[in-house]
Each structure stands twice: as structure tokens, then as C-alpha cells.
Amino acid sequence: MNDFRPVHRDPAPEWYGRLRAQAGDPSPADWLTAHGPGQGAFGTVAAIAAPGFAAYARILHPARLDDRPVRWSAVAAAHGTPLTPVTRWHEVIGADQEYVDRSDHGLPGVWDEHPDEGPTPPDVARVLLPVLARHTTTVDRCWFGLWSGYGRWDWDRFPTFETPGRDEVLLAGRLTDAVSPVELDEFAELPDLWWPQDRAWCLGGDVDLVSTYVGGSPALIADLLTTADLEAHPVHPDDPVG
């Protein structure tokens, strides 16, 4: 017998911020799963940011100290650990992956909050927006995927599309609308997936990750890697995510 009461979730809104949930055919997302064998294996960069792009970048969600962002490179230096494009947070702080204590207060004077787990944090997203906008011709027509298991919303009345390990609700709006869900609820998750109508790039995140991944042209990835307010690394499509 199951003694647990079901968690109450409110009916999902038609508008998630300024993004409109698509009640019809989710086929605009079909291209995300229309790839050849061996591509986009679960737990890899291509599974998060879509296979088939010429280049990829990993955007690290910052740790924090007194509510100010702290780069992983600063934390790694303080802990005396190496930082590579595929290093995971628990490796940076010298913790066991299975026993990272999210209540850990960090290293005095260096960090006191872990990086945000989940889709792209709003502060990081706001830095990404103008960079991504420079590399698409359809900035006013974009698509987004939101994992149906997030938060207090019940998305059952909307069709979903599948990505490796997740069922996503399809949303539509302008690129600048990507951060608008926090206007609905300051704790609302941003979409996991973003892509423009011209499919020039794809951004991906996940509830279990502390990084965001972007696939696109070499020019876009170079732009991301040189954006001062981002901590970004080049990665390969078959690299593990973290």
C-alpha cells in the first residue's frame, strides 16, 4: 500500500511568463530526436544540447559568496584541484559525487553556496541572450522545452516531446522571453531547451546539472568563450555532462 499522498500541483498556465505553451502538435521539436545511431547518448553533451552541431560549449553555473557569483576556477584554485572542460563540481571541491552536502557552507572567503542545479540560472541567461541573438536570423521566433516534472505546475493537458530521460512541454516565444517565467514566479525554472526557428543553435540544461550546454557554429562558440561574464569551456558532443 502506498501511504504517500500525491503532491498537489496547480493546473499549468497557458502562458509561462511570456512563453506560450503549445497545446497542439509538438512536431517543431522533432528535429531534436531525428539523429543517427550513437548520437545523443544519455548523459552526453549531445543529449543535452542536441547532436549535429559543429561546436559545443559548456557554461558553468557560478558558485556564490555573500550572494555574489564566484567562478569555478577561483574555487578550484583555492581547493588546489585541476579544472578541465569536463570537471564536475564535486571534483572541484573534493567531495564524493554521491555525498555532496548541499548545506555545506563552502570555503570561508571563497564560496558559501553551491552552483545552482537545474536549467540555466536567470543571471546567466541574461548574459547569454545577446550572444545567442547575434547568431540567429529568427530571434523573434524561438522554441523552448520545459521538463514537465518541474515545480508546482501540472502539465498533463499539454502534449510533450521526449528527449533522453525527459518529457518536455513545448513553449514558443521570442528569445528575449526566455527569462520571463521568473516574472510569473521568482522561483520558476527557465526552460531546459532553447532553439531558434532557423535551428542555428540549441541551448540545453537539466534538473540534475550545474552547467548549461550550447551547440552551434564555431563562431557562436568562440563568442561564448570570450564573453567576460560567462565561465565557458569548449566541449565535444560525446563528452559527459555535469
Side-chain angles (χ1 to χ4, degrees), residues 93-112:
I93 63 173
D96 187 301
Q97 181 179 8
E98 301 301 323
Y99 300 100
V100 174
D101 184 358
R102 301 299 294 186
S103 66
D104 182 359
H105 293 298
L107 192 63
V110 179
W111 68 278
D112 57 17

PDB file of all heavy atoms in Angstrom, residues 93-112:
ATOM      1  N   ILE A  93      35.494  20.577  -5.532  1.00  0.00           N
ATOM      2  CA  ILE A  93      35.543  20.796  -4.072  1.00  0.00           C
ATOM      3  C   ILE A  93      36.036  19.566  -3.307  1.00  0.00           C
ATOM      4  O   ILE A  93      36.052  19.561  -2.085  1.00  0.00           O
ATOM      5  CB  ILE A  93      34.172  21.246  -3.537  1.00  0.00           C
ATOM      6  CG1 ILE A  93      33.106  20.165  -3.756  1.00  0.00           C
ATOM      7  CG2 ILE A  93      33.762  22.567  -4.179  1.00  0.00           C
ATOM      8  CD1 ILE A  93      31.763  20.483  -3.108  1.00  0.00           C
ATOM      9  N   GLY A  94      36.426  18.519  -4.051  1.00  0.00           N
ATOM     10  CA  GLY A  94      36.977  17.341  -3.404  1.00  0.00           C
ATOM     11  C   GLY A  94      35.967  16.525  -2.633  1.00  0.00           C
ATOM     12  O   GLY A  94      36.290  15.938  -1.596  1.00  0.00           O
ATOM     13  N   ALA A  95      34.731  16.452  -3.129  1.00  0.00           N
ATOM     14  CA  ALA A  95      33.664  15.708  -2.456  1.00  0.00           C
ATOM     15  C   ALA A  95      33.328  14.451  -3.251  1.00  0.00           C
ATOM     16  O   ALA A  95      33.602  14.360  -4.450  1.00  0.00           O
ATOM     17  CB  ALA A  95      32.418  16.576  -2.304  1.00  0.00           C
ATOM     18  N   ASP A  96      32.720  13.492  -2.585  1.00  0.00           N
ATOM     19  CA  ASP A  96      32.214  12.302  -3.248  1.00  0.00           C
ATOM     20  C   ASP A  96      30.938  12.675  -3.994  1.00  0.00           C
ATOM     21  O   ASP A  96      30.046  13.320  -3.438  1.00  0.00           O
ATOM     22  CB  ASP A  96      31.920  11.216  -2.204  1.00  0.00           C
ATOM     23  CG  ASP A  96      31.558   9.882  -2.837  1.00  0.00           C
ATOM     24  OD1 ASP A  96      30.573   9.837  -3.595  1.00  0.00           O
ATOM     25  OD2 ASP A  96      32.258   8.894  -2.566  1.00  0.00           O
ATOM     26  N   GLN A  97      30.808  12.235  -5.236  1.00  0.00           N
ATOM     27  CA  GLN A  97      29.643  12.590  -6.049  1.00  0.00           C
ATOM     28  C   GLN A  97      28.333  12.212  -5.376  1.00  0.00           C
ATOM     29  O   GLN A  97      27.340  12.936  -5.470  1.00  0.00           O
ATOM     30  CB  GLN A  97      29.732  11.911  -7.414  1.00  0.00           C
ATOM     31  CG  GLN A  97      28.569  12.260  -8.341  1.00  0.00           C
ATOM     32  CD  GLN A  97      28.696  11.600  -9.692  1.00  0.00           C
ATOM     33  OE1 GLN A  97      29.572  10.767  -9.919  1.00  0.00           O
ATOM     34  NE2 GLN A  97      27.844  11.981 -10.615  1.00  0.00           N
ATOM     35  N   GLU A  98      28.312  11.075  -4.683  1.00  0.00           N
ATOM     36  CA  GLU A  98      27.072  10.594  -4.080  1.00  0.00           C
ATOM     37  C   GLU A  98      26.750  11.278  -2.759  1.00  0.00           C
ATOM     38  O   GLU A  98      25.656  11.133  -2.228  1.00  0.00           O
ATOM     39  CB  GLU A  98      27.161   9.080  -3.854  1.00  0.00           C
ATOM     40  CG  GLU A  98      27.406   8.276  -5.121  1.00  0.00           C
ATOM     41  CD  GLU A  98      26.315   8.479  -6.161  1.00  0.00           C
ATOM     42  OE1 GLU A  98      25.144   8.601  -5.760  1.00  0.00           O
ATOM     43  OE2 GLU A  98      26.635   8.515  -7.358  1.00  0.00           O
ATOM     44  N   TYR A  99      27.704  12.041  -2.232  1.00  0.00           N
ATOM     45  CA  TYR A  99      27.500  12.599  -0.896  1.00  0.00           C
ATOM     46  C   TYR A  99      27.804  14.091  -0.824  1.00  0.00           C
ATOM     47  O   TYR A  99      28.258  14.586   0.198  1.00  0.00           O
ATOM     48  CB  TYR A  99      28.358  11.835   0.125  1.00  0.00           C
ATOM     49  CG  TYR A  99      28.007  10.373   0.190  1.00  0.00           C
ATOM     50  CD1 TYR A  99      28.791   9.443  -0.466  1.00  0.00           C
ATOM     51  CD2 TYR A  99      26.876   9.941   0.879  1.00  0.00           C
ATOM     52  CE1 TYR A  99      28.468   8.090  -0.421  1.00  0.00           C
ATOM     53  CE2 TYR A  99      26.547   8.598   0.922  1.00  0.00           C
ATOM     54  CZ  TYR A  99      27.342   7.677   0.269  1.00  0.00           C
ATOM     55  OH  TYR A  99      27.011   6.356   0.301  1.00  0.00           O
ATOM     56  N   VAL A 100      27.569  14.800  -1.924  1.00  0.00           N
ATOM     57  CA  VAL A 100      27.728  16.250  -1.877  1.00  0.00           C
ATOM     58  C   VAL A 100      26.628  16.821  -0.995  1.00  0.00           C
ATOM     59  O   VAL A 100      25.439  16.635  -1.255  1.00  0.00           O
ATOM     60  CB  VAL A 100      27.654  16.866  -3.293  1.00  0.00           C
ATOM     61  CG1 VAL A 100      27.661  18.385  -3.206  1.00  0.00           C
ATOM     62  CG2 VAL A 100      28.815  16.398  -4.149  1.00  0.00           C
ATOM     63  N   ASP A 101      27.024  17.490   0.050  1.00  0.00           N
ATOM     64  CA  ASP A 101      26.077  18.066   1.009  1.00  0.00           C
ATOM     65  C   ASP A 101      25.718  19.474   0.565  1.00  0.00           C
ATOM     66  O   ASP A 101      26.531  20.388   0.647  1.00  0.00           O
ATOM     67  CB  ASP A 101      26.706  18.084   2.403  1.00  0.00           C
ATOM     68  CG  ASP A 101      25.729  18.590   3.473  1.00  0.00           C
ATOM     69  OD1 ASP A 101      24.592  18.965   3.108  1.00  0.00           O
ATOM     70  OD2 ASP A 101      26.123  18.609   4.643  1.00  0.00           O
ATOM     71  N   ARG A 102      24.485  19.657   0.093  1.00  0.00           N
ATOM     72  CA  ARG A 102      24.082  20.964  -0.424  1.00  0.00           C
ATOM     73  C   ARG A 102      24.010  22.014   0.684  1.00  0.00           C
ATOM     74  O   ARG A 102      23.921  23.200   0.402  1.00  0.00           O
ATOM     75  CB  ARG A 102      22.737  20.871  -1.135  1.00  0.00           C
ATOM     76  CG  ARG A 102      22.682  19.912  -2.299  1.00  0.00           C
ATOM     77  CD  ARG A 102      23.634  20.265  -3.419  1.00  0.00           C
ATOM     78  NE  ARG A 102      23.295  21.505  -4.090  1.00  0.00           N
ATOM     79  CZ  ARG A 102      23.907  21.973  -5.178  1.00  0.00           C
ATOM     80  NH1 ARG A 102      24.911  21.306  -5.706  1.00  0.00           N
ATOM     81  NH2 ARG A 102      23.549  23.114  -5.726  1.00  0.00           N
ATOM     82  N   SER A 103      24.034  21.585   1.939  1.00  0.00           N
ATOM     83  CA  SER A 103      24.040  22.552   3.039  1.00  0.00           C
ATOM     84  C   SER A 103      25.464  22.950   3.431  1.00  0.00           C
ATOM     85  O   SER A 103      25.648  23.767   4.330  1.00  0.00           O
ATOM     86  CB  SER A 103      23.305  21.983   4.258  1.00  0.00           C
ATOM     87  OG  SER A 103      23.997  20.869   4.795  1.00  0.00           O
ATOM     88  N   ASP A 104      26.451  22.360   2.764  1.00  0.00           N
ATOM     89  CA  ASP A 104      27.851  22.686   3.054  1.00  0.00           C
ATOM     90  C   ASP A 104      28.084  24.178   2.837  1.00  0.00           C
ATOM     91  O   ASP A 104      27.701  24.738   1.808  1.00  0.00           O
ATOM     92  CB  ASP A 104      28.750  21.869   2.117  1.00  0.00           C
ATOM     93  CG  ASP A 104      30.234  22.088   2.377  1.00  0.00           C
ATOM     94  OD1 ASP A 104      30.566  22.875   3.267  1.00  0.00           O
ATOM     95  OD2 ASP A 104      31.040  21.473   1.666  1.00  0.00           O
ATOM     96  N   HIS A 105      28.691  24.837   3.805  1.00  0.00           N
ATOM     97  CA  HIS A 105      28.893  26.280   3.721  1.00  0.00           C
ATOM     98  C   HIS A 105      30.164  26.656   2.976  1.00  0.00           C
ATOM     99  O   HIS A 105      30.569  27.813   2.972  1.00  0.00           O
ATOM    100  CB  HIS A 105      28.905  26.888   5.130  1.00  0.00           C
ATOM    101  CG  HIS A 105      27.560  26.800   5.798  1.00  0.00           C
ATOM    102  ND1 HIS A 105      26.439  27.416   5.298  1.00  0.00           N
ATOM    103  CD2 HIS A 105      27.168  26.157   6.921  1.00  0.00           C
ATOM    104  CE1 HIS A 105      25.406  27.165   6.099  1.00  0.00           C
ATOM    105  NE2 HIS A 105      25.813  26.396   7.084  1.00  0.00           N
ATOM    106  N   GLY A 106      30.818  25.692   2.357  1.00  0.00           N
ATOM    107  CA  GLY A 106      31.901  26.005   1.463  1.00  0.00           C
ATOM    108  C   GLY A 106      33.229  26.271   2.134  1.00  0.00           C
ATOM    109  O   GLY A 106      33.546  25.722   3.190  1.00  0.00           O
ATOM    110  N   LEU A 107      33.995  27.170   1.525  1.00  0.00           N
ATOM    111  CA  LEU A 107      35.328  27.520   1.993  1.00  0.00           C
ATOM    112  C   LEU A 107      35.319  28.995   2.366  1.00  0.00           C
ATOM    113  O   LEU A 107      35.060  29.855   1.513  1.00  0.00           O
ATOM    114  CB  LEU A 107      36.350  27.253   0.884  1.00  0.00           C
ATOM    115  CG  LEU A 107      37.828  27.278   1.252  1.00  0.00           C
ATOM    116  CD1 LEU A 107      38.149  26.182   2.251  1.00  0.00           C
ATOM    117  CD2 LEU A 107      38.671  27.098  -0.012  1.00  0.00           C
ATOM    118  N   PRO A 108      35.563  29.329   3.632  1.00  0.00           N
ATOM    119  CA  PRO A 108      35.471  30.730   4.056  1.00  0.00           C
ATOM    120  C   PRO A 108      36.283  31.670   3.175  1.00  0.00           C
ATOM    121  O   PRO A 108      37.442  31.403   2.861  1.00  0.00           O
ATOM    122  CB  PRO A 108      36.022  30.690   5.492  1.00  0.00           C
ATOM    123  CG  PRO A 108      35.732  29.304   5.966  1.00  0.00           C
ATOM    124  CD  PRO A 108      35.921  28.434   4.754  1.00  0.00           C
ATOM    125  N   GLY A 109      35.635  32.751   2.760  1.00  0.00           N
ATOM    126  CA  GLY A 109      36.291  33.745   1.937  1.00  0.00           C
ATOM    127  C   GLY A 109      36.361  33.409   0.469  1.00  0.00           C
ATOM    128  O   GLY A 109      36.786  34.240  -0.349  1.00  0.00           O
ATOM    129  N   VAL A 110      35.926  32.181   0.110  1.00  0.00           N
ATOM    130  CA  VAL A 110      35.988  31.762  -1.300  1.00  0.00           C
ATOM    131  C   VAL A 110      34.588  31.500  -1.846  1.00  0.00           C
ATOM    132  O   VAL A 110      34.181  32.082  -2.844  1.00  0.00           O
ATOM    133  CB  VAL A 110      36.870  30.508  -1.463  1.00  0.00           C
ATOM    134  CG1 VAL A 110      36.904  30.068  -2.941  1.00  0.00           C
ATOM    135  CG2 VAL A 110      38.276  30.765  -0.949  1.00  0.00           C
ATOM    136  N   TRP A 111      33.831  30.608  -1.201  1.00  0.00           N
ATOM    137  CA  TRP A 111      32.455  30.342  -1.640  1.00  0.00           C
ATOM    138  C   TRP A 111      31.630  29.852  -0.460  1.00  0.00           C
ATOM    139  O   TRP A 111      32.163  29.242   0.465  1.00  0.00           O
ATOM    140  CB  TRP A 111      32.420  29.337  -2.787  1.00  0.00           C
ATOM    141  CG  TRP A 111      32.824  27.933  -2.407  1.00  0.00           C
ATOM    142  CD1 TRP A 111      34.100  27.445  -2.288  1.00  0.00           C
ATOM    143  CD2 TRP A 111      31.956  26.837  -2.083  1.00  0.00           C
ATOM    144  NE1 TRP A 111      34.077  26.121  -1.918  1.00  0.00           N
ATOM    145  CE2 TRP A 111      32.778  25.707  -1.791  1.00  0.00           C
ATOM    146  CE3 TRP A 111      30.571  26.696  -2.017  1.00  0.00           C
ATOM    147  CZ2 TRP A 111      32.256  24.480  -1.434  1.00  0.00           C
ATOM    148  CZ3 TRP A 111      30.043  25.456  -1.665  1.00  0.00           C
ATOM    149  CH2 TRP A 111      30.883  24.361  -1.384  1.00  0.00           C
ATOM    150  N   ASP A 112      30.344  30.163  -0.492  1.00  0.00           N
ATOM    151  CA  ASP A 112      29.460  29.693   0.569  1.00  0.00           C
ATOM    152  C   ASP A 112      28.152  29.109   0.044  1.00  0.00           C
ATOM    153  O   ASP A 112      27.321  28.668   0.821  1.00  0.00           O
ATOM    154  CB  ASP A 112      29.176  30.809   1.593  1.00  0.00           C
ATOM    155  CG  ASP A 112      28.568  32.059   0.981  1.00  0.00           C
ATOM    156  OD1 ASP A 112      28.061  31.983  -0.169  1.00  0.00           O
ATOM    157  OD2 ASP A 112      28.611  33.119   1.623  1.00  0.00           O
TER     158      ASP A 112
END
